[in-house]
PDB file of all heavy atoms in Angstrom:
ATOM      1  N   CYS A 167       5.890  -6.756  -4.212  1.00  0.00           N
ATOM      2  CA  CYS A 167       4.678  -7.217  -4.898  1.00  0.00           C
ATOM      3  C   CYS A 167       3.588  -7.625  -3.901  1.00  0.00           C
ATOM      4  O   CYS A 167       2.438  -7.783  -4.274  1.00  0.00           O
ATOM      5  CB  CYS A 167       4.996  -8.399  -5.818  1.00  0.00           C
ATOM      6  SG  CYS A 167       5.807  -7.873  -7.350  1.00  0.00           S
ATOM      7  N   THR A 168       3.965  -7.804  -2.667  1.00  0.00           N
ATOM      8  CA  THR A 168       2.990  -8.096  -1.605  1.00  0.00           C
ATOM      9  C   THR A 168       3.419  -7.349  -0.368  1.00  0.00           C
ATOM     10  O   THR A 168       4.616  -7.044  -0.193  1.00  0.00           O
ATOM     11  CB  THR A 168       2.870  -9.611  -1.338  1.00  0.00           C
ATOM     12  OG1 THR A 168       1.917  -9.823  -0.320  1.00  0.00           O
ATOM     13  CG2 THR A 168       4.216 -10.199  -0.902  1.00  0.00           C
ATOM     14  N   TYR A 169       2.455  -7.027   0.499  1.00  0.00           N
ATOM     15  CA  TYR A 169       2.757  -6.125   1.626  1.00  0.00           C
ATOM     16  C   TYR A 169       2.373  -6.718   2.977  1.00  0.00           C
ATOM     17  O   TYR A 169       2.318  -6.004   3.969  1.00  0.00           O
ATOM     18  CB  TYR A 169       2.024  -4.799   1.425  1.00  0.00           C
ATOM     19  CG  TYR A 169       2.410  -4.116   0.134  1.00  0.00           C
ATOM     20  CD1 TYR A 169       1.688  -4.313  -1.024  1.00  0.00           C
ATOM     21  CD2 TYR A 169       3.527  -3.285   0.097  1.00  0.00           C
ATOM     22  CE1 TYR A 169       2.055  -3.701  -2.217  1.00  0.00           C
ATOM     23  CE2 TYR A 169       3.903  -2.669  -1.080  1.00  0.00           C
ATOM     24  CZ  TYR A 169       3.166  -2.874  -2.237  1.00  0.00           C
ATOM     25  OH  TYR A 169       3.540  -2.270  -3.418  1.00  0.00           O
ATOM     26  N   THR A 170       2.116  -8.003   3.012  1.00  0.00           N
ATOM     27  CA  THR A 170       1.751  -8.675   4.267  1.00  0.00           C
ATOM     28  C   THR A 170       2.860  -9.622   4.700  1.00  0.00           C
ATOM     29  O   THR A 170       3.186 -10.575   3.976  1.00  0.00           O
ATOM     30  CB  THR A 170       0.428  -9.441   4.140  1.00  0.00           C
ATOM     31  OG1 THR A 170      -0.608  -8.539   3.747  1.00  0.00           O
ATOM     32  CG2 THR A 170       0.050 -10.092   5.461  1.00  0.00           C
ATOM     33  N   LEU A 171       3.410  -9.361   5.867  1.00  0.00           N
ATOM     34  CA  LEU A 171       4.515 -10.163   6.410  1.00  0.00           C
ATOM     35  C   LEU A 171       3.937 -11.206   7.359  1.00  0.00           C
ATOM     36  O   LEU A 171       3.104 -10.893   8.192  1.00  0.00           O
ATOM     37  CB  LEU A 171       5.493  -9.258   7.150  1.00  0.00           C
ATOM     38  CG  LEU A 171       6.880  -9.800   7.461  1.00  0.00           C
ATOM     39  CD1 LEU A 171       7.677 -10.028   6.199  1.00  0.00           C
ATOM     40  CD2 LEU A 171       7.607  -8.828   8.384  1.00  0.00           C
ATOM     41  N   LYS A 172       4.396 -12.438   7.217  1.00  0.00           N
ATOM     42  CA  LYS A 172       3.910 -13.519   8.078  1.00  0.00           C
ATOM     43  C   LYS A 172       4.680 -13.547   9.395  1.00  0.00           C
ATOM     44  O   LYS A 172       5.423 -14.468   9.695  1.00  0.00           O
ATOM     45  CB  LYS A 172       4.029 -14.860   7.367  1.00  0.00           C
ATOM     46  CG  LYS A 172       3.130 -14.994   6.139  1.00  0.00           C
ATOM     47  CD  LYS A 172       3.384 -16.290   5.411  1.00  0.00           C
ATOM     48  CE  LYS A 172       2.533 -16.393   4.165  1.00  0.00           C
ATOM     49  NZ  LYS A 172       2.794 -17.625   3.390  1.00  0.00           N
ATOM     50  N   GLY A 173       4.506 -12.503  10.159  1.00  0.00           N
ATOM     51  CA  GLY A 173       5.196 -12.381  11.436  1.00  0.00           C
ATOM     52  C   GLY A 173       4.717 -11.130  12.145  1.00  0.00           C
ATOM     53  O   GLY A 173       3.994 -10.326  11.558  1.00  0.00           O
ATOM     54  N   PHE A 174       5.113 -10.964  13.418  1.00  0.00           N
ATOM     55  CA  PHE A 174       4.685  -9.740  14.127  1.00  0.00           C
ATOM     56  C   PHE A 174       5.855  -8.803  14.352  1.00  0.00           C
ATOM     57  O   PHE A 174       5.733  -7.817  15.080  1.00  0.00           O
ATOM     58  CB  PHE A 174       3.962 -10.074  15.448  1.00  0.00           C
ATOM     59  CG  PHE A 174       4.704 -11.012  16.348  1.00  0.00           C
ATOM     60  CD1 PHE A 174       5.719 -10.562  17.156  1.00  0.00           C
ATOM     61  CD2 PHE A 174       4.343 -12.347  16.397  1.00  0.00           C
ATOM     62  CE1 PHE A 174       6.393 -11.415  18.000  1.00  0.00           C
ATOM     63  CE2 PHE A 174       5.019 -13.218  17.248  1.00  0.00           C
ATOM     64  CZ  PHE A 174       6.047 -12.743  18.056  1.00  0.00           C
ATOM     65  N   PHE A 175       7.020  -9.110  13.779  1.00  0.00           N
ATOM     66  CA  PHE A 175       8.111  -8.159  13.662  1.00  0.00           C
ATOM     67  C   PHE A 175       8.887  -8.511  12.413  1.00  0.00           C
ATOM     68  O   PHE A 175       8.673  -9.561  11.794  1.00  0.00           O
ATOM     69  CB  PHE A 175       8.997  -8.155  14.922  1.00  0.00           C
ATOM     70  CG  PHE A 175       9.793  -9.418  15.132  1.00  0.00           C
ATOM     71  CD1 PHE A 175      11.058  -9.539  14.596  1.00  0.00           C
ATOM     72  CD2 PHE A 175       9.277 -10.460  15.863  1.00  0.00           C
ATOM     73  CE1 PHE A 175      11.810 -10.694  14.789  1.00  0.00           C
ATOM     74  CE2 PHE A 175      10.008 -11.628  16.055  1.00  0.00           C
ATOM     75  CZ  PHE A 175      11.266 -11.742  15.504  1.00  0.00           C
ATOM     76  N   CYS A 176       9.797  -7.646  12.002  1.00  0.00           N
ATOM     77  CA  CYS A 176      10.496  -7.833  10.734  1.00  0.00           C
ATOM     78  C   CYS A 176      11.722  -8.725  10.901  1.00  0.00           C
ATOM     79  O   CYS A 176      12.571  -8.445  11.727  1.00  0.00           O
ATOM     80  CB  CYS A 176      10.907  -6.469  10.158  1.00  0.00           C
ATOM     81  SG  CYS A 176       9.526  -5.378   9.841  1.00  0.00           S
ATOM     82  N   ASN A 177      11.769  -9.785  10.068  1.00  0.00           N
ATOM     83  CA  ASN A 177      12.923 -10.672  10.056  1.00  0.00           C
ATOM     84  C   ASN A 177      13.228 -11.044   8.607  1.00  0.00           C
ATOM     85  O   ASN A 177      12.854 -10.327   7.684  1.00  0.00           O
ATOM     86  CB  ASN A 177      12.674 -11.896  10.933  1.00  0.00           C
ATOM     87  CG  ASN A 177      11.460 -12.685  10.500  1.00  0.00           C
ATOM     88  OD1 ASN A 177      10.797 -12.336   9.522  1.00  0.00           O
ATOM     89  ND2 ASN A 177      11.181 -13.756  11.201  1.00  0.00           N
ATOM     90  N   ASN A 178      13.893 -12.190   8.388  1.00  0.00           N
ATOM     91  CA  ASN A 178      14.307 -12.536   7.035  1.00  0.00           C
ATOM     92  C   ASN A 178      13.151 -12.887   6.117  1.00  0.00           C
ATOM     93  O   ASN A 178      13.338 -13.031   4.904  1.00  0.00           O
ATOM     94  CB  ASN A 178      15.332 -13.675   7.058  1.00  0.00           C
ATOM     95  CG  ASN A 178      14.769 -14.952   7.670  1.00  0.00           C
ATOM     96  OD1 ASN A 178      13.694 -14.961   8.269  1.00  0.00           O
ATOM     97  ND2 ASN A 178      15.494 -16.044   7.536  1.00  0.00           N
ATOM     98  N   ALA A 179      11.922 -12.982   6.659  1.00  0.00           N
ATOM     99  CA  ALA A 179      10.752 -13.197   5.823  1.00  0.00           C
ATOM    100  C   ALA A 179      10.455 -11.984   4.941  1.00  0.00           C
ATOM    101  O   ALA A 179       9.709 -12.088   3.962  1.00  0.00           O
ATOM    102  CB  ALA A 179       9.529 -13.499   6.703  1.00  0.00           C
ATOM    103  N   LEU A 180      11.058 -10.848   5.258  1.00  0.00           N
ATOM    104  CA  LEU A 180      10.847  -9.627   4.460  1.00  0.00           C
ATOM    105  C   LEU A 180      11.258  -9.828   3.010  1.00  0.00           C
ATOM    106  O   LEU A 180      10.656  -9.240   2.104  1.00  0.00           O
ATOM    107  CB  LEU A 180      11.621  -8.476   5.080  1.00  0.00           C
ATOM    108  CG  LEU A 180      11.393  -7.071   4.497  1.00  0.00           C
ATOM    109  CD1 LEU A 180       9.952  -6.636   4.682  1.00  0.00           C
ATOM    110  CD2 LEU A 180      12.338  -6.053   5.127  1.00  0.00           C
ATOM    111  N   SER A 181      12.271 -10.656   2.779  1.00  0.00           N
ATOM    112  CA  SER A 181      12.746 -10.895   1.395  1.00  0.00           C
ATOM    113  C   SER A 181      11.683 -11.574   0.521  1.00  0.00           C
ATOM    114  O   SER A 181      11.706 -11.427  -0.699  1.00  0.00           O
ATOM    115  CB  SER A 181      14.014 -11.744   1.412  1.00  0.00           C
ATOM    116  OG  SER A 181      13.759 -13.008   2.018  1.00  0.00           O
ATOM    117  N   SER A 182      10.751 -12.279   1.152  1.00  0.00           N
ATOM    118  CA  SER A 182       9.702 -12.971   0.383  1.00  0.00           C
ATOM    119  C   SER A 182       8.669 -12.012  -0.213  1.00  0.00           C
ATOM    120  O   SER A 182       7.862 -12.400  -1.057  1.00  0.00           O
ATOM    121  CB  SER A 182       9.003 -14.005   1.258  1.00  0.00           C
ATOM    122  OG  SER A 182       8.306 -13.360   2.331  1.00  0.00           O
ATOM    123  N   LEU A 183       8.692 -10.742   0.232  1.00  0.00           N
ATOM    124  CA  LEU A 183       7.745  -9.749  -0.290  1.00  0.00           C
ATOM    125  C   LEU A 183       8.198  -9.131  -1.605  1.00  0.00           C
ATOM    126  O   LEU A 183       7.419  -8.490  -2.309  1.00  0.00           O
ATOM    127  CB  LEU A 183       7.524  -8.643   0.735  1.00  0.00           C
ATOM    128  CG  LEU A 183       7.096  -9.037   2.146  1.00  0.00           C
ATOM    129  CD1 LEU A 183       6.813  -7.806   2.990  1.00  0.00           C
ATOM    130  CD2 LEU A 183       5.887  -9.960   2.122  1.00  0.00           C
ATOM    131  N   SER A 184       9.469  -9.319  -1.953  1.00  0.00           N
ATOM    132  CA  SER A 184      10.021  -8.698  -3.164  1.00  0.00           C
ATOM    133  C   SER A 184       9.455  -9.332  -4.419  1.00  0.00           C
ATOM    134  O   SER A 184       9.160 -10.544  -4.449  1.00  0.00           O
ATOM    135  CB  SER A 184      11.557  -8.847  -3.169  1.00  0.00           C
ATOM    136  OG  SER A 184      12.107  -8.223  -2.038  1.00  0.00           O
ATOM    137  N   CYS A 185       9.324  -8.516  -5.459  1.00  0.00           N
ATOM    138  CA  CYS A 185       8.821  -9.022  -6.745  1.00  0.00           C
ATOM    139  C   CYS A 185       9.815  -9.981  -7.385  1.00  0.00           C
ATOM    140  O   CYS A 185       9.435 -10.979  -7.985  1.00  0.00           O
ATOM    141  CB  CYS A 185       8.566  -7.851  -7.706  1.00  0.00           C
ATOM    142  SG  CYS A 185       7.262  -6.734  -7.154  1.00  0.00           S
ATOM    143  N   VAL A 186      11.100  -9.664  -7.271  1.00  0.00           N
ATOM    144  CA  VAL A 186      12.146 -10.488  -7.893  1.00  0.00           C
ATOM    145  C   VAL A 186      13.148 -10.893  -6.808  1.00  0.00           C
ATOM    146  O   VAL A 186      13.660 -10.044  -6.088  1.00  0.00           O
ATOM    147  CB  VAL A 186      12.886  -9.711  -9.013  1.00  0.00           C
ATOM    148  CG1 VAL A 186      13.965 -10.602  -9.623  1.00  0.00           C
ATOM    149  CG2 VAL A 186      11.900  -9.236 -10.075  1.00  0.00           C
TER     150      VAL A 186
END
Side-chain angles (χ1 to χ4, degrees):
C167 283
T168 181
Y169 301 92
T170 302
L171 196 66
K172 294 176 183 177
F174 51 81
F175 68 91
C176 299
N177 59 0
N178 62 349
L180 187 63
S181 60
S182 64
L183 306 185
S184 301
C185 295
V186 180

